[in-house]
mmCIF file of all heavy atoms in Angstrom:
data_model
loop_
_atom_site.group_PDB
_atom_site.id
_atom_site.type_symbol
_atom_site.label_atom_id
_atom_site.label_comp_id
_atom_site.label_asym_id
_atom_site.label_seq_id
_atom_site.Cartn_x
_atom_site.Cartn_y
_atom_site.Cartn_z
ATOM 1 N N ASN A 249 -2.555 9.102 3.085
ATOM 2 C CA ASN A 249 -1.890 9.553 4.298
ATOM 3 C C ASN A 249 -0.397 9.524 4.014
ATOM 4 O O ASN A 249 0.136 8.505 3.494
ATOM 5 C CB ASN A 249 -2.216 8.682 5.483
ATOM 6 C CG ASN A 249 -1.548 9.147 6.730
ATOM 7 O OD1 ASN A 249 -1.329 10.352 6.959
ATOM 8 N ND2 ASN A 249 -1.177 8.235 7.607
ATOM 9 N N THR A 250 0.298 10.605 4.298
ATOM 10 C CA THR A 250 1.747 10.628 4.122
ATOM 11 C C THR A 250 2.377 10.927 5.492
ATOM 12 O O THR A 250 1.844 11.680 6.269
ATOM 13 C CB THR A 250 2.228 11.644 3.055
ATOM 14 O OG1 THR A 250 3.586 11.441 2.826
ATOM 15 C CG2 THR A 250 1.967 13.060 3.450
ATOM 16 N N ASP A 251 3.448 10.234 5.741
ATOM 17 C CA ASP A 251 4.144 10.409 7.025
ATOM 18 C C ASP A 251 5.583 10.015 6.850
ATOM 19 O O ASP A 251 5.979 9.500 5.788
ATOM 20 C CB ASP A 251 3.484 9.556 8.111
ATOM 21 C CG ASP A 251 3.709 10.150 9.523
ATOM 22 O OD1 ASP A 251 4.522 11.096 9.670
ATOM 23 O OD2 ASP A 251 3.101 9.611 10.465
ATOM 24 N N GLU A 252 6.375 10.242 7.846
ATOM 25 C CA GLU A 252 7.779 9.931 7.780
ATOM 26 C C GLU A 252 8.239 9.318 9.081
ATOM 27 O O GLU A 252 7.606 9.474 10.120
ATOM 28 C CB GLU A 252 8.600 11.164 7.475
ATOM 29 C CG GLU A 252 8.522 12.181 8.600
ATOM 30 C CD GLU A 252 8.851 13.585 8.158
ATOM 31 O OE1 GLU A 252 8.272 14.040 7.131
ATOM 32 O OE2 GLU A 252 9.621 14.238 8.851
ATOM 33 N N SER A 253 9.346 8.623 9.006
ATOM 34 C CA SER A 253 9.956 8.037 10.208
ATOM 35 C C SER A 253 11.448 8.144 10.095
ATOM 36 O O SER A 253 12.010 7.965 9.022
ATOM 37 C CB SER A 253 9.547 6.571 10.322
ATOM 38 O OG SER A 253 10.106 6.003 11.480
ATOM 39 N N LEU A 287 12.647 8.138 6.203
ATOM 40 C CA LEU A 287 11.818 7.424 5.220
ATOM 41 C C LEU A 287 10.498 8.106 5.149
ATOM 42 O O LEU A 287 9.837 8.298 6.187
ATOM 43 C CB LEU A 287 11.650 5.946 5.610
ATOM 44 C CG LEU A 287 10.723 5.153 4.681
ATOM 45 C CD1 LEU A 287 11.301 5.035 3.300
ATOM 46 C CD2 LEU A 287 10.486 3.755 5.321
ATOM 47 N N VAL A 288 10.073 8.537 3.963
ATOM 48 C CA VAL A 288 8.801 9.210 3.754
ATOM 49 C C VAL A 288 7.911 8.282 2.904
ATOM 50 O O VAL A 288 8.343 7.861 1.814
ATOM 51 C CB VAL A 288 8.988 10.564 3.034
ATOM 52 C CG1 VAL A 288 7.680 11.336 2.965
ATOM 53 C CG2 VAL A 288 10.068 11.402 3.714
ATOM 54 N N VAL A 289 6.696 8.015 3.383
ATOM 55 C CA VAL A 289 5.815 7.139 2.675
ATOM 56 C C VAL A 289 4.453 7.813 2.526
ATOM 57 O O VAL A 289 4.092 8.685 3.324
ATOM 58 C CB VAL A 289 5.628 5.779 3.384
ATOM 59 C CG1 VAL A 289 6.956 5.001 3.455
ATOM 60 C CG2 VAL A 289 5.053 5.965 4.774
ATOM 61 N N ALA A 290 3.710 7.367 1.530
ATOM 62 C CA ALA A 290 2.317 7.782 1.365
ATOM 63 C C ALA A 290 1.522 6.555 0.911
ATOM 64 O O ALA A 290 1.890 5.862 -0.016
ATOM 65 C CB ALA A 290 2.230 8.892 0.296
ATOM 66 N N TYR A 339 9.257 17.262 -2.174
ATOM 67 C CA TYR A 339 8.593 15.932 -2.154
ATOM 68 C C TYR A 339 7.165 16.002 -2.680
ATOM 69 O O TYR A 339 6.761 15.210 -3.505
ATOM 70 C CB TYR A 339 8.613 15.373 -0.725
ATOM 71 C CG TYR A 339 7.698 14.210 -0.498
ATOM 72 C CD1 TYR A 339 8.005 12.968 -1.050
ATOM 73 C CD2 TYR A 339 6.539 14.341 0.254
ATOM 74 C CE1 TYR A 339 7.140 11.865 -0.858
ATOM 75 C CE2 TYR A 339 5.698 13.261 0.462
ATOM 76 C CZ TYR A 339 5.997 12.041 -0.114
ATOM 77 O OH TYR A 339 5.145 10.983 0.075
ATOM 78 N N LEU A 365 -4.231 13.331 3.924
ATOM 79 C CA LEU A 365 -4.072 13.549 5.365
ATOM 80 C C LEU A 365 -2.603 13.730 5.675
ATOM 81 O O LEU A 365 -1.791 12.930 5.274
ATOM 82 C CB LEU A 365 -4.652 12.355 6.118
ATOM 83 C CG LEU A 365 -6.121 12.044 5.853
ATOM 84 C CD1 LEU A 365 -6.506 10.720 6.465
ATOM 85 C CD2 LEU A 365 -6.990 13.174 6.355
ATOM 86 N N ASP A 367 0.223 15.025 8.918
ATOM 87 C CA ASP A 367 0.391 15.258 10.346
ATOM 88 C C ASP A 367 0.737 16.715 10.590
ATOM 89 O O ASP A 367 0.784 17.530 9.674
ATOM 90 C CB ASP A 367 1.358 14.279 10.979
ATOM 91 C CG ASP A 367 2.780 14.424 10.428
ATOM 92 O OD1 ASP A 367 3.047 15.426 9.693
ATOM 93 O OD2 ASP A 367 3.639 13.568 10.701
ATOM 94 N N ARG A 372 4.849 20.856 7.104
ATOM 95 C CA ARG A 372 3.585 20.742 6.379
ATOM 96 C C ARG A 372 2.838 22.095 6.320
ATOM 97 O O ARG A 372 1.941 22.247 5.513
ATOM 98 C CB ARG A 372 2.619 19.742 7.039
ATOM 99 C CG ARG A 372 3.086 18.368 7.368
ATOM 100 C CD ARG A 372 4.009 17.673 6.417
ATOM 101 N NE ARG A 372 4.153 16.280 6.834
ATOM 102 C CZ ARG A 372 5.284 15.744 7.200
ATOM 103 N NH1 ARG A 372 6.407 16.424 7.191
ATOM 104 N NH2 ARG A 372 5.358 14.488 7.570
#
Side-chain angles (χ1 to χ4, degrees):
N249 181 32
T250 189
D251 205 352
E252 65 202 49
S253 181
L287 175 65
V288 186
V289 297
Y339 166 71
L365 302 170
D367 63 10
R372 310 321 188 242

